[in-house]
Amino acid sequence: MPELVVTALLAPSRLTLKLLRAFMWSMVFSAALVAAVVYGCIALTHVLCRPRRGCCGRPRRTPPACLSDPALGEHCFLTLKSSGLRLHYVSAGRGNGPLMLFLHGFPENWFSWRYQLREFQSCFHVVAVDLRGYGSSDAPKDVDCYTIDLLMADIQDIILGLGYSKCILVSHDWGALLAWNFSVYYPSLVERMVVVSAAPMSVYQDYSIRHIGQFFRSNYVFLFQLPWLPEKLLSMSDFQILKNTLTHRKKGIPHLRPNELEAFLYDFSQPSGLTGPLNYYRNIFRNFPLEPQELAKPTLLLWGEKDPYFEQGLVGAISSRFVPGRLEAHILPGMGHWIPQSHPEEMHRYMWAFLQDLLS
């Protein structure tokens, strides 16, 4: 068929897609402006209630001692083959078994896996990374350096750079969004997956279109589409919005100690410490609309019944995309979003049972 005819036949579809994307971006930035007003009022209230803290975050000059706890493992750096970036990771149990790779979420870092590093190092080589842009890892400033494709390439380089051909991939929040995609595009590098509190992006997209309540739960995503303003709002009154996120009585991490809170705030208080993590969100709508993905990798999915950010209905939506028999999903009563830190014992029980056949 002549190229001109093909172009003419495809023109209506291409126009429709362009109009759809234009409508989507107009809605996203409208929501971003509304979110900016709401979060601006919240940040200003924190400043007025705590005037001595001022309008900026206090830079932390010394990392808290808990970040150097030798029981959690050895601090190392790995230069990635694809990008040349240097990523920081904490490693323990090398030689004790298969690679268990941990991917953290926002606003966290490798330290969010402290309980799991202690628990599984006797039978696995456990590695918790600071993802690109976080902590001691390199943090490119350009938004285009945080696309899903580049972040997946980072995970591939980590696994191969550590000398393994596959891993058990354990992930939470943003790390789980990457893990879902990684299991589809790099299936040979993943033996099993443990996913906590996150859905694949295509599932989240389709579910949110049908359930408006999920948009309201994820309102912060729209704020983070804006340049520089989110960094400013999150740092005001010495990072009070982040402090509330992590320590809120109902929505936060129960019994989080002050030094553990500082383990997260230390990284974000460094120059441009928030920009890399927020650039993940600034790429989240780049490939809209997303095609449905079939999920086939054996996966343990743990979901908090009281997760304030993601509705329970997403679990059923995830299950509908799976090859039968490959997903083991549990909605955990009374638990919220931060299961690896808030209820590590329960998470460990499910993980040991799920991985038992790999150890026999």
Side-chain angles (χ1 to χ4, degrees):
M1 188 179 295
E3 183 177 348
L4 186 60
V5 176
V6 173
T7 302
L9 291 173
L10 292 177
S13 297
R14 289 173 176 169
L15 178 60
T16 300
L17 183 59
K18 287 182 179 180
L19 291 174
L20 180 61
R21 289 182 61 83
F23 175 74
M24 182 273 294
W25 279 113
S26 68
M27 296 298 292
V28 166
F29 281 109
S30 296
L33 294 175
V34 173
V37 172
V38 173
Y39 279 91
C41 292
I42 293 172
L44 182 60
T45 300
H46 290 319
V47 172
L48 294 175
C49 292
R50 303 169 181 85
R52 292 185 179 181
R53 293 185 183 178
C55 293
C56 299
R58 172 178 59 85
R60 274 71 172 165
R61 290 182 169 80
T62 305
C66 58
L67 286 176
S68 303
D69 185 350
L72 299 180
E74 178 185 4
H75 291 256
C76 309
F77 288 87
L78 176 68
T79 300
L80 303 180
K81 181 179 179 180
S82 300
S83 64
L85 295 178
R86 198 172 74 136
L87 295 193
H88 167 255
Y89 66 94
V90 174
S91 167
R94 177 177 280 277
N96 292 346
L99 173 63
M100 182 179 285
L101 180 62
F102 295 92
L103 307 178
H104 64 80
F106 176 83
E108 299 171 290
N109 55 27
W110 72 268
F111 187 71
S112 63
W113 299 110
R114 58 196 177 279
Y115 296 108
Q116 290 72 40
L117 289 172
R118 290 191 184 98
E119 178 73 13
F120 293 100
Q121 63 180 265
S122 61
C123 295
F124 297 91
H125 178 199
V126 292
V127 172
V129 300
D130 275 333
L131 293 170
R132 167 190 302 225
Y134 283 84
S136 300
S137 292
D138 285 349
K141 293 184 178 180
D142 194 336
V143 174
D144 291 338
C145 292
Y146 295 86
T147 64
I148 297 298
D149 290 343
L150 292 176
L151 297 170
M152 287 195 297
D154 288 355
I155 301 171
Q156 177 192 33
D157 288 346
I158 293 167
I159 296 168
L160 300 179
L162 291 172
Y164 293 88
S165 60
K166 58 184 176 180
C167 74
I168 297 154
L169 198 54
V170 185
S171 57
H172 171 249
D173 191 76
W174 244 109
L177 293 180
L178 300 178
W180 284 119
N181 255 39
F182 189 78
S183 71
V184 172
Y185 292 102
Y186 298 88
S188 64
L189 295 179
V190 181
E191 187 167 10
R192 301 276 179 91
M193 288 219 304
V194 178
V195 175
V196 186
S197 307
M201 290 186 183
S202 61
V203 173
Y204 178 83
Q205 167 196 274
D206 294 347
Y207 182 89
S208 298
I209 290 172
R210 295 176 174 84
H211 300 83
I212 192 66
Q214 183 56 57
F215 274 117
F216 288 103
R217 289 186 182 226
S218 305
N219 56 73
Y220 55 91
V221 173
F222 300 103
L223 171 69
F224 295 165
Q225 302 308 306
L226 300 174
W228 69 263
L229 181 61
E231 285 92 330
K232 180 63 177 177
L233 295 179
L234 292 183
S235 64
M236 288 175 70
S237 191
D238 196 32
F239 303 97
Q240 189 59 44
I241 290 178
L242 291 183
K243 289 178 180 178
N244 285 358
T245 299
L246 294 170
T247 63
H248 190 275
R249 186 172 61 86
K250 292 183 178 180
K251 298 180 180 180
I253 305 168
H255 315 300
L256 187 71
R257 301 184 184 95
N259 65 323
E260 293 173 335
L261 174 62
E262 286 298 312
F264 301 120
L265 296 182
Y266 170 77
D267 289 333
F268 297 128
S269 74
Q270 304 310 306
S272 301
L274 282 166
T275 299
L278 293 179
N279 281 343
Y280 283 60
Y281 290 93
R282 290 169 179 143
N283 279 287
I284 204 167
F285 295 106
R286 176 183 288 254
N287 297 317
F288 177 89
L290 298 169
E291 293 293 326
Q293 297 168 322
E294 183 179 62
L295 305 170
K297 194 56 62 176
T299 300
L300 170 66
L301 175 63
L302 301 178
W303 203 274
E305 176 195 25
K306 296 185 177 181
D307 192 318
Y309 305 109
F310 298 112
E311 293 185 354
Q312 285 187 43
L314 281 164
V315 176
I318 295 170
S319 300
S320 69
R321 298 283 180 87
F322 255 92
V323 171
R326 299 294 179 89
L327 175 67
E328 179 185 330
H330 300 276
I331 297 177
L332 307 183
M335 299 186 196
H337 183 70
W338 314 96
I339 293 170
Q341 297 184 71
S342 64
H343 295 84
E345 296 86 359
E346 290 86 344
M347 178 175 175
H348 297 164
R349 281 201 299 272
Y350 283 111
M351 286 182 64
W352 280 119
F354 179 66
L355 301 171
Q356 190 60 45
D357 62 304
L358 296 181
L359 303 174
S360 57

